[in-house]
Amino acid sequence: MSPHARSDIHMLRRPSRYRPANTCAQCGEALYLPEYSEWLDTGHARHLWQCDACGYSFETTVRFAAA
C-alpha cells in the first residue's frame, strides 16, 4: 500500500469537523442540504427543509449583512 493510499484511508476515518446546517425539530435527525432555496432579495434567502427520517418540513430565512 502506498503512503498516499494510507493517508486517504486515514482521512475517511477521521471524525468530521463540520456540523449539519440544521436538525429536525421533530426527531433530531441531522439535515445537511435544503430541499429548495430561493433568493428573496439582495440580503435574504429562504430554505425549505424536509427530514428524510420523519417527513417533517420547515422553512428558514437567512439574512446576509451588507458588504
Side-chain angles (χ1 to χ4, degrees):
M1 179 182 288
S2 76
H4 296 293
R6 195 170 315 177
S7 298
D8 292 344
I9 291 170
H10 176 70
M11 294 292 287
L12 293 173
R13 291 183 183 165
R14 186 173 56 192
S16 174
R17 288 184 256 178
Y18 300 104
R19 294 181 355 170
N22 275 311
T23 54
C24 177
Q26 295 296 310
C27 71
E29 183 74 15
L31 304 174
Y32 293 94
L33 295 171
E35 292 290 318
Y36 178 79
S37 296
E38 66 180 333
W39 292 106
L40 301 176
D41 56 40
T42 57
H44 295 84
R46 181 181 308 151
H47 304 295
L48 172 65
W49 300 87
Q50 184 168 8
C51 180
D52 291 334
C54 72
Y56 181 72
S57 12
F58 62 96
E59 290 182 358
T60 57
T61 302
V62 180
R63 184 177 65 120
F64 298 99

